[in-house]
């Protein structure tokens, strides 16, 4: 006589169904640390959430070109595994710059879309695929409904989604202040490069603003741009300065 398994209580079945709908999985809670304590300490669980949507834009005039923002994103996805889907509407991506940030050309699949609507459709489809390391999309407008769909798709698949907010006119940048469902929102501005003791151009520097972090804190950082492994660094003058707790304290004799 075979024994039939006892049915699960209704409450457990309901909880499992809700978890599936919300995309709650181990991948949803995974994070990608920057490897810089000052940045990671401001983010929930100590890193950039995978299985989530994040927004990045350039500061000042770079809001129209997003050169630094693109390198920032390249450095992030360079530290993920698998292919990277990069969706754009203009053929202005400079592949050697992405390679300089650690993202090699062999990992990138480029998709050129005709409009923001097409970008968002490809973005969502790429996130739902689940077989990609990350999906990056250049888009100007990101309505709340569209961002919510992207966030749910990222949660369900565990893929990392990066929306590079790029505009054609300076007046369009006001749209960046509108609410979206993204987990974090960043702005990358270009600073003078690191000075060298000899003639030449030193490592690029960025003024990095964490404008929004769900369950985290907003913050600003001065960092050195991504190296060929996709990693940021603090300028040596900042990394070697004394901790805030020690500033102003009198040194006592033994």
């Amino acid at each position: 006589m075979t024994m039939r398994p006892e049915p699960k209580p209704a409450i457990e079945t309901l909880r499992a169904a809700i978890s599936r709908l919300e995309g709650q999985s181990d991948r949803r809670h995974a994070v990608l640390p920057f490897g810089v304590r000052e940045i990671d300490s401001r983010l929930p669980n100590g890193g950039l959430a995978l299985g989530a949507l994040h927004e990045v834009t350039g500061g000042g005039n770079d809001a129209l070109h997003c050169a630094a923002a693109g390198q920032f994103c390249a450095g992030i996805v360079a530290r993920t595994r698998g292919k990277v889907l990069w969706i754009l509407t203009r053929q202005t991506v400079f592949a050697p710059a992405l390679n300089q940030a650690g993202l090699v050309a062999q990992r990138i699949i480029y998709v050129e879309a005709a409009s923001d609507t097409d970008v968002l459709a490809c973005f969502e489809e790429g996130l739902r695929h689940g077989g990609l390391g990350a999906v990056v999309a250049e888009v100007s407008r990101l309505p709340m409904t569209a961002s919510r769909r992207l966030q749910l798709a990222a949660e369900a698949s565990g893929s990392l989604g990066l929306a590079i907010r790029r505009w054609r006119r300076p007046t369009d940048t006001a749209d960046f202040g509108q609410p979206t469902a993204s987990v974090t929102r960043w702005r990358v501005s270009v600073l003078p490069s690191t000075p060298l003791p000899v003639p030449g151009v030193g490592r690029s520097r960025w003024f990095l603003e964490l404008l929004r972090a769900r369950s985290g804190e907003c913050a600003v950082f001065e960092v050195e741009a991504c190296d060929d492994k996709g990693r940021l660094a603090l300028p040596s003058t900042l990394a070697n300065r004394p901790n805030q707790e020690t500033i102003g304290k009198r040194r006592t004799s033994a």
Side-chain angles (χ1 to χ4, degrees):
M1 181 178 179
T2 59
M3 299 292 291
R4 293 184 178 179
E6 294 183 1
K8 290 183 178 180
I11 186 66
E12 292 184 11
T13 304
L14 182 59
R15 284 174 178 167
I18 292 174
S19 295
R20 287 194 300 272
L21 288 173
E22 293 182 344
Q24 293 176 347
S25 64
D26 293 338
R27 289 184 298 177
R28 179 185 175 186
H29 299 288
V31 298
L32 181 67
F34 282 95
V36 179
R37 181 180 59 82
E38 288 77 2
I39 301 177
D40 291 334
S41 64
R42 299 287 184 148
L43 297 168
N45 302 317
L48 196 70
L50 300 175
L53 173 67
H54 306 273
E55 289 179 80
V56 183
T57 193
N61 292 331
D62 201 42
L64 305 182
H65 308 292
C66 285
Q71 278 198 296
F72 175 69
C73 291
I76 292 172
V77 301
R79 295 181 289 112
T80 63
R81 295 181 179 179
K83 293 288 187 178
V84 175
L85 184 65
W86 198 294
I87 310 164
L88 45 87
T89 56
R90 287 172 279 179
Q91 297 181 2
T92 53
V93 172
F94 188 53
L98 303 186
N99 186 76
Q100 187 179 3
L103 183 58
V104 296
Q106 292 81 357
R107 290 188 57 199
I108 310 174
I109 303 171
Y110 290 107
V111 173
E112 185 177 358
S115 64
D116 275 359
T117 301
D118 294 336
V119 170
L120 293 173
C122 295
F123 198 178
E124 183 178 347
E125 189 66 26
L127 289 174
R128 291 195 183 281
H129 183 271
L132 298 168
V135 183
V136 183
E138 299 180 5
V139 62
S140 56
R141 295 190 66 256
L142 185 62
M144 173 59 82
T145 300
S147 68
R148 183 59 180 160
R149 291 178 63 90
L150 294 171
Q151 174 63 22
L152 290 174
E155 288 179 358
S157 67
S159 296
L160 173 66
L162 294 173
I164 300 179
R165 303 295 303 278
R166 182 182 179 187
W167 295 274
R168 295 183 181 273
R169 296 176 296 274
T171 54
D172 296 336
T173 59
D175 188 66
F176 195 56
Q178 299 300 314
T180 66
S182 60
V183 174
T184 64
R185 177 178 282 179
W186 304 80
R187 182 161 55 206
V188 188
S189 303
V190 178
L191 294 175
S193 62
T194 302
L196 296 176
V198 295
V201 179
R203 186 171 175 177
S204 299
R205 286 193 184 189
W206 296 334
F207 184 66
L208 184 61
E209 299 172 81
L210 176 57
L211 301 175
R212 179 180 185 272
R214 187 186 300 175
S215 303
E217 304 178 38
C218 298
V220 296
F221 315 94
E222 185 177 326
V223 299
E224 292 185 335
C226 300
D227 61 13
D228 58 359
K229 301 296 183 182
R231 297 192 177 277
L232 301 172
L234 288 182
S236 57
T237 54
L238 298 178
N240 297 328
R241 69 183 179 182
N243 294 331
Q244 292 296 326
E245 290 85 358
T246 64
I247 295 177
K249 286 188 177 180
R250 178 178 296 179
R251 187 173 182 180
T252 58
S253 58

